[in-house]
Amino acid sequence: MTKIRITETVLRDGQQSQIATRMTTEEMLPVLKQLDEAGYHALEMWGGATFDSCLRFLNEDPWERLRTIRKAVKNTKLQMLLRGQNLLGYRNYADDVVTSFIQKSVENGIDIVRIFDALNDPRNLQTAVKATKEAGGHAQVAISYTTSPVHTVDYFVDLTKRYAEIGADSICIKDMAGVLTPQTGYDLVKRIKEAVDLPLEVHTHATSGISEMTYLKVAEAGADIIDTAVSSFAGGTSQPATESMVIALEELGFDTGVDLKKVEEIAEHFNKVRDHYRAEGILNPKVKDTEPKTLIYQVPGGMLSNLLSQLTEQGLADKYEEVLAEVPRVRADLGYPPLVTPLSQMVGTQSLMNVISGERYKVVPNEIKDYVRGLYGQSPAPLGKGIKEKIIGDEEVITVRPADLIEPQMPILREEIAEYARSEEDVLSYASFPKQARDFLGRREDPFYDIPVQTVSVSIAID
């Protein structure tokens, strides 16, 4: 019987995709024992937007969440998502911050660090991979999967070889937009398994309606692990349902090792949690929708909803289709960056500005200027003709690894937050989200620190 293991995403990507990462640690506690006993390969439960959400909305210490879950989960690996040199934020950090963050993540209970870069630039991954291995963690390096004239199967196979060279312990095909089709998934897995002798995991989203077919084909091609979410938070913008995939794969002769009776108990609990967020209006029914436009425009489902929300707030909902059609054009102009955090937000904003201003690139955000300067890394393909000049004129474009230009930051960060930080973890929270962490730590340390907990919504990270 062929083995294929399951990583459960309900504690991170499942709830991030459907309730904007609002699930509290308290809501996770009642089923941690069952999650540990269900036979999963790993529990993805940290990283992504969880860190920001804990500090910004939940008044929780994200490090304490990790320690609490680690104490309860004794046998199953704990996994986090890390944006390479961006860590959990939206900009590059100095190497000393990256190294310290990963060291503390592993010390506090993380086993597997899934590391990706929005541009698939190996230079933006090498420090995180090295730090993970030195800390005793498993460095899973993820391909940010996308489609474009340059993003061919050959491109991704070559990228996988480069990831193996920088020390990847395993590879993940990270399809954040749900655009990996069944045949391409089959071909890509086959080719990667032939090219590198490393475990291979496949992550997709159910947004476009083809994810279960894709999972079947990658399983047939030899994928070692797939990511699913317990049914309570599955489907739509999340992953396919754990129970359904396990039943289908087991009948087809695959051994998943998952105990469905335990998963049923987990689902019973999370159904109540889901219903609570639905009643609160945080779970928008649209996140459960199938959106084939994802395949047409190659835009992640979360990005579609964010664009519509931004336009509606500005009374410009009638411009939605126009902005949506502008996204692939902007992406081509910028050398086909994958639409994953932070590039998804940047490309979406530029598309919005192009339409609203009535003139393409009349208004350009600083982040796009920095991207064109090379400060995010190497674009997958050359920029469109004249785009560089239009955006930054005759400024020079850097060709070194962007983080090489950043001086060590930890000493300054320790000094800046010394009034409220009790630990290196507190300093790292401040490094990740300065304002949110200062407010959280200030409230914790000073009863007169009078800053209310934020309740306004923010853009959903697409990762």
Side-chain angles (χ1 to χ4, degrees):
M1 189 177 267
T2 306
K3 280 191 176 181
I4 187 161
R5 304 304 311 277
I6 306 287
T7 291
E8 174 60 63
T9 69
V10 67
L11 301 182
R12 205 286 296 177
D13 203 6
Q15 60 122 349
Q16 177 175 316
S17 296
Q18 300 205 336
I19 57 169
T21 334
R22 296 300 199 277
M23 193 185 293
T24 65
T25 304
E26 190 176 343
E27 288 167 327
M28 301 173 183
L29 289 174
V31 287
L32 290 179
K33 184 173 184 289
Q34 290 92 325
L35 282 164
D36 192 23
E37 294 172 349
Y40 291 115
H41 166 71
L43 303 177
E44 192 202 43
M45 44 64 65
W46 215 57
T50 59
F51 211 91
D52 183 9
S53 188
C54 278
L55 295 169
R56 188 186 299 263
F57 299 111
L58 305 178
N59 199 33
E60 284 191 23
D61 183 341
W63 297 97
E64 190 56 38
R65 171 179 292 190
L66 171 55
R67 288 189 287 267
T68 299
I69 293 175
R70 177 76 284 170
K71 190 175 179 183
V73 177
K74 303 180 189 306
N75 304 305
T76 309
K77 293 181 175 68
L78 297 184
Q79 180 173 304
M80 74 171 294
L81 182 69
L82 190 89
R83 299 172 190 146
Q85 206 74 27
N86 293 172
L87 294 177
L88 304 177
Y90 306 96
R91 60 185 174 86
N92 283 329
Y93 290 90
D95 287 339
D96 65 333
V97 180
V98 173
T99 299
S100 180
F101 193 98
I102 290 170
Q103 182 184 352
K104 287 298 177 184
S105 298
V106 175
E107 274 182 24
N108 281 276
I110 289 294
D111 298 295
I112 302 167
V113 185
R114 177 178 290 172
I115 309 161
F116 78 94
D117 176 62
L119 293 174
N120 290 316
D121 188 337
R123 301 174 305 167
N124 290 337
L125 300 167
Q126 62 193 46
T127 298
V129 171
K130 182 170 181 272
T132 301
K133 293 167 79 75
E134 286 179 351
H138 176 106
Q140 182 179 87
V141 186
I143 290 163
S144 294
Y145 180 79
T146 188
T147 59
S148 81
V150 297
H151 290 97
T152 62
V153 170
D154 286 342
Y155 167 91
F156 286 120
V157 172
D158 180 63
L159 185 64
T160 302
K161 292 175 185 173
R162 295 169 72 194
Y163 284 177
E165 287 168 6
I166 64 170
D169 293 315
S170 64
I171 300 292
C172 175
I173 300 169
K174 179 177 168 52
D175 174 28
M176 58 280 170
V179 297
L180 181 64
T181 53
Q183 187 59 52
T184 302
Y186 181 89
D187 295 341
L188 187 52
V189 168
K190 271 281 187 195
R191 292 278 306 281
I192 288 174
K193 293 297 285 184
E194 289 166 2
V196 295
D197 185 20
L198 292 171
L200 178 61
E201 187 155 357
V202 181
H203 171 98
T204 192
H205 288 251
T207 321
S208 64
I210 61 171
S211 55
E212 290 88 351
M213 289 187 284
T214 297
Y215 271 166
L216 170 58
K217 294 305 290 182
V218 300
E220 290 176 348
D224 299 287
I225 312 154
I226 57 171
D227 291 2
T228 64
V230 70
S231 54
S232 320
F233 286 96
T237 53
S238 179
Q239 281 73 55
T242 301
E243 303 95 309
S244 309
M245 287 308 309
V246 167
I247 290 166
L249 288 169
E250 294 271 357
E251 189 179 275
L252 289 163
F254 291 91
D255 174 16
T256 66
V258 170
D259 181 345
L260 280 176
K261 284 190 170 58
K262 294 287 182 188
V263 181
E264 190 178 331
E265 293 173 29
I266 296 162
E268 282 176 10
H269 169 74
F270 282 124
N271 284 344
K272 294 171 192 162
V273 175
R274 176 201 61 208
D275 292 345
H276 163 72
Y277 285 103
R278 182 182 284 143
E280 292 286 315
I282 292 171
L283 176 63
N284 185 328
K286 281 187 172 295
V287 300
K288 294 285 191 180
D289 287 354
T290 298
E291 184 48 271
K293 281 182 183 173
T294 297
L295 294 168
I296 298 164
Y297 292 110
Q298 307 296 321
V299 174
M303 188 175 169
L304 288 169
S305 56
N306 279 338
L307 281 174
L308 183 56
S309 174
Q310 287 178 50
L311 285 165
T312 303
E313 283 174 12
Q314 296 175 55
L316 297 167
D318 59 316
K319 300 281 189 185
Y320 179 59
E321 290 292 336
E322 198 178 338
V323 173
L324 207 52
E326 178 67 1
V327 169
R329 290 194 286 265
V330 169
R331 188 169 170 247
D333 288 343
L334 297 178
Y336 298 103
L339 294 177
V340 65
T341 300
L343 269 302
S344 50
Q345 289 87 341
M346 289 160 59
V347 170
T349 300
Q350 185 63 66
S351 304
L352 196 63
M353 289 180 171
N354 284 358
V355 169
I356 290 173
S357 67
E359 182 184 331
R360 303 188 79 232
Y361 304 107
K362 180 181 179 181
V363 182
V364 180
N366 288 331
E367 291 83 358
I368 292 287
K369 291 177 182 176
D370 283 346
Y371 170 83
V372 173
R373 290 178 183 119
L375 291 171
Y376 283 84
Q378 178 69 50
S379 61
L383 302 188
K385 190 176 180 182
I387 293 297
K388 181 254 180 192
E389 290 73 21
K390 187 174 281 194
I391 292 177
I392 61 168
D394 59 2
E395 280 188 51
E396 194 175 333
V397 175
I398 72 156
T399 55
V400 298
R401 182 181 75 110
D404 287 342
L405 302 174
I406 308 174
E407 294 292 324
Q409 295 170 320
M410 286 301 289
I412 297 164
L413 292 163
R414 289 188 193 105
E415 190 177 323
E416 286 178 352
I417 198 64
E419 184 181 359
Y420 299 124
R422 293 182 196 165
S423 64
E424 193 82 337
E425 286 87 345
D426 288 346
V427 176
L428 292 164
S429 293
Y430 173 71
S432 302
F433 299 98
K435 184 185 184 309
Q436 288 74 30
R438 180 181 284 279
D439 290 349
F440 171 80
L441 297 171
R443 287 192 299 268
R444 186 188 71 185
E445 298 300 315
D446 180 0
F448 300 105
Y449 191 101
D450 191 21
I451 301 289
V453 177
Q454 291 187 44
T455 55
V456 295
S457 63
V458 292
S459 294
I460 299 170
I462 317 279
D463 58 15

